[in-house]
Amino acid sequence: MKKDFVSLADFTSEQLQTLIDKTIAAKPAYLQKQGPAPHARKTLAMIFEKPSLRTRVSFETAMTQLGGTATYLDQTAIGLGDREPARDIARVLGRMCDAIMARTFHHKIVEELAQNSAVPVVNGLTDYSHPCQAMADLVTIRERLGALKGKTVAFVGDGNNVARSLAVACAKLDMKFVLSSPAGYELEESFFETLLDEHPHADCSLIHEPGRAVQAADVVYTDTWVSMGQEQQRQDRIHTFQAYQVNEALMSFAPKHAMVLHCLPAYRGCEISEGVFEKHAEAIFNQAENRLHFQRTLLDELLTNGGIE
Ligand code: CP
Ligand code: NVA
């Protein structure tokens, strides 16, 4: 039993596959406002050190749909690590709430919350990873392409938190992962070494030239070049990443059937062109909606069993 949902690396392929299957199975009933609401009187504390639209609304809505409630705690209000250490906040919330979701800068803060809380802790994005996003992405790909095994995801842009979780998710679900980033912005070598140690058959590669990276892609994925907390580097990054825009020219190298995904928020004219974004908007907003469906399934599991079995 795994109490917390902090890193995809902590879960087996079967556990992740089951979460995806359950998400897809439960979705139609909730879309018709007929899904079960088994968690009356249960509460989720949501800690945010950074801004959010999707994560906040999807967790809050998921709790409402499950019959419970969610409480939004922003950094100014609670002073995580400033007014009070993470370990004390975790112990207090563990006495009052049934689960905690946290979006922080440092990944180790979410780990510290998990180590010190009596209730499950969910990673709602750190500088290191974004596991709920990667799981919603796989749900979206599975719905569109029918299967995950053997499919190729080409991530074009910054080797960031979203790319890292997607790489792990692909390795776990027998998918190919190609990263195309400018020199100096790739995922660290040690990350790929560990991934390959743990998943010797994982098919992950680094191809600097974006046109070549998307050649066999079933999914072309991109995210902002400037993640939250990197605002000071904006000008340098925009300059460095110019050749990595997902635009019509780049998509001409990809197979015709390739879908485009973006975790949002999107910066048109930077990592993605207006035309490519709008052409693939249906898939991109399905992807955003699937944050709700995946997280409702995740919360249901955590609140029912106290973790993932
Ligand atoms: N994709 C995502 O996590 O969006 P928010 O930052 O709006 O939560
Ligand atoms: N990489 C982005 C993802 C936003 C959802 C960031 O961390 O800001």
Side-chain angles (χ1 to χ4, degrees), residues 6-305:
V6 171
S7 291
L8 295 181
D10 297 338
F11 297 93
T12 64
S13 304
E14 292 69 27
Q15 285 172 316
L16 298 183
Q17 186 65 62
T18 302
L19 284 171
I20 294 169
D21 291 346
K22 286 186 174 178
T23 300
I24 292 173
K27 185 169 163 177
Y30 284 99
L31 287 176
Q32 291 163 30
K33 307 269 184 232
Q34 287 170 353
H39 298 292
R41 305 175 71 123
K42 294 201 181 155
T43 57
L44 172 73
M46 305 191 299
I47 298 173
F48 281 93
E49 278 190 336
K50 301 176 178 180
S52 169
L53 173 69
R54 280 145 291 275
T55 304
R56 178 179 178 177
V57 177
S58 54
F59 272 103
E60 193 164 331
T61 304
M63 278 306 289
T64 304
Q65 292 181 343
L66 292 170
T69 54
T71 304
Y72 176 74
L73 304 166
D74 76 16
Q75 175 58 3
T76 340
I78 64 166
L80 173 68
D82 176 14
R83 181 171 183 263
E84 198 160 3
R87 63 184 185 282
D88 287 357
I89 291 178
R91 286 188 279 188
V92 171
L93 293 176
R95 300 287 185 107
M96 298 178 180
C97 303
D98 299 284
I100 299 168
M101 189 283 301
R103 165 169 288 193
T104 63
F105 288 95
H106 300 299
H107 187 74
K108 69 170 170 35
I109 298 293
V110 173
E111 291 179 336
E112 202 177 328
L113 290 168
Q115 279 153 16
N116 290 282
S117 127
V119 299
V121 171
V122 178
N123 175 355
L125 179 147
T126 68
D127 286 349
Y128 188 72
S129 63
H130 199 359
C132 290
Q133 182 67 56
M135 291 299 285
D137 299 340
L138 294 198
V139 168
T140 311
I141 297 168
R142 173 69 192 276
E143 286 179 330
R144 170 77 169 261
L145 302 180
L148 295 175
K149 192 173 175 171
K151 298 292 188 296
T152 299
V153 177
F155 187 103
V156 180
D158 189 20
N160 63 13
N161 44 6
V162 171
R164 198 173 284 106
S165 289
L166 206 50
V168 178
C170 286
K172 297 262 178 196
L173 277 301
D174 295 324
M175 300 169 74
K176 299 174 190 160
F177 181 80
V178 182
L179 177 66
S180 188
S181 307
Y185 294 88
E186 310 94 336
L187 287 168
E188 56 280 15
E189 244 173 68
S190 59
F191 166 79
F192 282 116
E193 281 164 14
T194 308
L195 194 64
L196 286 166
D197 273 354
E198 289 169 3
H199 305 280
H201 302 295
D203 190 335
C204 50
S205 50
L206 178 64
I207 300 178
H208 282 112
E209 210 279 298
R212 214 156 59 72
V214 302
Q215 261 169 19
D218 298 294
V219 181
V220 176
Y221 198 119
T222 190
D223 179 21
T224 182
W225 294 336
V226 187
S227 284
M228 293 177 275
Q230 298 174 332
E231 291 77 10
Q232 308 277 353
Q233 304 168 31
R234 178 178 300 278
Q235 285 319 318
D236 283 352
R237 283 177 165 265
I238 288 176
H239 177 74
T240 307
F241 280 86
Q242 278 308 307
Y244 291 81
Q245 185 184 79
V246 175
N247 54 26
E248 288 73 1
L250 181 64
M251 290 307 292
S252 72
F253 292 99
K256 287 264 172 304
H257 73 270
M259 61 195 289
V260 173
L261 293 180
H262 191 308
C263 63
L264 301 174
Y267 298 89
R268 295 163 171 83
C270 289
E271 76 275 3
I272 194 162
S273 68
E274 169 77 16
V276 169
F277 184 91
E278 289 306 332
K279 184 171 174 199
H280 295 270
E282 183 63 18
I284 292 169
F285 291 104
N286 284 342
Q287 177 189 9
E289 181 187 326
N290 278 330
R291 292 291 305 281
L292 164 64
H293 301 299
F294 169 70
Q295 289 155 204
R296 187 183 52 242
T297 294
L298 175 68
L299 288 169
D300 188 20
E301 291 291 313
L302 297 175
L303 294 171
T304 303
N305 302 316

